Amino acid sequence: MFKFLLTFLPLLSGSALAASSGETAGLLLGLFWVVLAATLCGALASRLGMPAVVGQVLAGLLIGPGALGLVQADDFLLSLAELGAVFLLFMVGLETRFRDLLAVGKEAVLVALLGIILPLGLGLGFGLWQNLGTVSALFVGTALVATSVGITAKVLQELGVMDARFAQVILGAAVIDDILGLTLLAVVSGLGTGQSMGAAQVGLILGLSLGFVALVLTVGLPLIRRFESRLRSLSVSRMFNVAVVTGLGVAALSTVAGLAPIIGAFLAGMVLAEVKDELEFESKVQALEAFLAPIFFVVVGLQVDLSVLTSAAVVLAGGALTLLAVAGKVLGGLLGARSLGQEALLVGTGMVPRGEVGLIVASLGLAAGIIEGPVYAQVLLMVLLTTVLAPLALRVLVRRTAVGSVS
């Protein structure tokens, strides 16, 4: 029976149906498999006491090309996944007030800076130890710098600790980490293609990114308070539309500034958080996010090519790289957030998942010829392990911390 299913299921894959019944039918069936796998595996993970996101990432591995081969990460699913990440961070922003981030500003900056410097140095050293060129080794370090705030944010949401001080430090550090990390990626990619990157160009990239964040907050926060009375006259459905348009618009603008759209979405949510208590639209945004966010996590799993992990040498080197990746972020959290006491370990652990950000960095390096197949496979294994294991560790640590504080 199981062999029959393995033979029959690929016939119902998105690609097969697209060839026989049209592209739309294939896209819909691919989406069906993704949503079904996310629902079942997410629920199973929750029943086993694990974060749902772990089950959803593993669902992508299960239905992807490396296992059942039901779905491939085509442009349609990649676009939906990015939309899922946008609304996930928009929802996280709605649960975060700017004044709360300001209260942890010092710790967030320190965690972000150390979470870039330490992994970058460790990755660079690892690459040089493997006799890679300087630029290739620097790219490995850049892959270690990446942080997937979406994965950590979802775990924090599930645990109901978004208001905790350590969670605010993680979110603040992740925003700074993304800005500096993307700047670093642009510089290293330029070096890999033979471009000369001067201090002026680096400063321009960084200035545009920081300027965009400052502009959204300094303009958006006073503006939302000024129009709050008018917004109260809108129906829930219309206010929901206003919120969605705002989130998508700021997310789109963030790409112009060289930032990931999730940063813009997070900032937009944080602006609207100032009026969410007076305007009942949050539940509708949450419903939309509950549908789209699991697609994002499944597609993260879909993009992992398991075939590159068959070499023992790759597995050993990838395991060593994973240890360095974890050590860099955890140590950055322990040192940067040491004022939080035992919660500093939670901060460091929350910065560990590389997720889709690590996959993007690795893919860019491979496509540009900066890193080759074996190194790409090592980075891929590091991304997979940090994405799956870090949420598990974070859940255990949050519960132990909560028990310790009660006792």
Side-chain angles (χ1 to χ4, degrees):
M1 182 64 180
F2 183 67
K3 289 183 178 179
F4 168 75
L5 287 175
L6 288 181
T7 304
F8 178 69
L9 285 176
L11 298 177
L12 290 179
S13 67
S15 58
L17 196 63
S20 61
S21 303
E23 184 177 357
T24 300
L27 294 176
L28 289 175
L29 190 58
L31 181 59
F32 162 77
W33 284 122
V34 168
V35 175
L36 178 64
T39 303
L40 295 179
C41 294
L44 179 60
S46 297
R47 288 288 297 272
L48 295 175
M50 298 187 295
V53 296
V54 173
Q56 290 160 0
V57 172
L58 293 177
L61 294 172
L62 177 64
I63 65 175
L68 296 178
L70 298 174
V71 185
Q72 292 186 352
D74 55 22
D75 291 341
F76 171 68
L77 285 178
L78 288 173
S79 297
L80 270 184
E82 187 162 2
L83 197 59
V86 163
F87 277 100
L88 170 60
L89 267 296
F90 182 57
M91 192 68 213
V92 170
L94 279 176
E95 299 178 13
T96 307
R97 295 188 185 274
F98 181 57
R99 57 179 176 269
D100 295 331
L101 284 188
L102 284 180
V104 297
K106 179 182 176 181
E107 290 90 349
V109 171
L110 286 174
V111 169
L113 291 177
L114 291 171
I116 288 176
I117 294 171
L118 294 174
L120 179 63
L122 291 172
L124 175 62
F126 181 81
L128 294 175
W129 177 72
Q130 286 192 306
N131 296 318
L132 300 179
T134 303
V135 176
S136 298
L138 193 57
F139 204 92
V140 173
T142 304
L144 264 62
V145 165
T147 294
S148 176
V149 63
I151 291 173
T152 296
K154 192 61 180 179
V155 175
L156 296 175
Q157 268 187 343
E158 291 179 6
L159 295 174
V161 293
M162 289 295 294
D163 294 333
R165 185 174 175 83
F166 77 87
Q168 299 298 319
V169 172
I170 291 173
L171 293 176
V175 171
I176 300 169
D177 183 87
D178 192 75
I179 294 172
L180 298 179
L182 287 173
T183 303
L184 179 62
L185 178 59
V187 172
V188 176
S189 298
L191 293 174
T193 55
Q195 300 178 21
S196 59
M197 279 281 180
Q201 288 175 294
V202 175
L204 179 61
I205 296 171
L206 183 59
L208 285 173
S209 302
L210 293 173
F212 174 77
V213 174
L215 182 65
V216 171
L217 295 176
T218 56
V219 173
L221 291 173
L223 204 61
I224 197 70
R225 295 190 188 102
R226 180 177 179 181
F227 287 96
E228 181 179 351
S229 59
R230 295 186 182 182
L231 293 175
R232 287 181 182 177
S233 64
L234 297 178
S235 65
V236 175
S237 296
R238 287 187 178 180
M239 186 58 217
F240 166 72
N241 290 336
V242 170
V244 170
V245 168
T246 302
L248 291 175
V250 180
L253 286 175
S254 69
T255 62
V256 178
L259 288 173
I262 58 174
I263 297 300
F266 174 75
L267 294 172
M270 196 160 55
V271 168
L272 288 171
E274 299 296 319
V275 297
K276 68 170 185 175
D277 293 337
E278 291 77 21
L279 305 169
E280 298 180 2
F281 65 91
E282 187 177 5
S283 60
K284 286 184 173 290
V285 176
Q286 194 170 27
L288 183 60
E289 180 260 346
F291 170 69
L292 290 172
I295 297 174
F296 159 65
F297 295 117
V298 173
V299 171
V300 169
L302 283 177
Q303 294 179 87
V304 177
D305 183 4
L306 294 176
S307 64
V308 302
L309 306 178
T310 55
S311 166
V314 165
V315 172
L316 289 174
L321 189 62
T322 302
L323 292 176
L324 294 177
V326 172
K329 291 294 185 181
V330 170
L331 188 57
L334 288 172
L335 294 176
R338 59 182 180 275
S339 62
L340 301 185
Q342 61 181 349
E343 290 186 346
L345 181 58
L346 295 176
V347 173
T349 306
M351 299 293 289
V352 166
R354 268 47 175 204
E356 81 294 347
V357 183
L359 291 174
I360 291 170
V361 173
S363 299
L364 286 175
L366 184 66
I370 301 174
I371 57 175
E372 297 180 350
V375 178
Y376 171 74
Q378 295 166 21
V379 174
L380 210 59
L381 180 60
M382 178 274 296
V383 171
L384 176 62
L385 291 176
T386 57
T387 299
V388 172
L389 298 179
L392 296 174
L394 183 60
R395 190 182 187 96
V396 171
L397 290 173
V398 168
R399 288 180 171 175
R400 284 184 179 177
T401 303
V403 171
S405 63
V406 171
S407 59

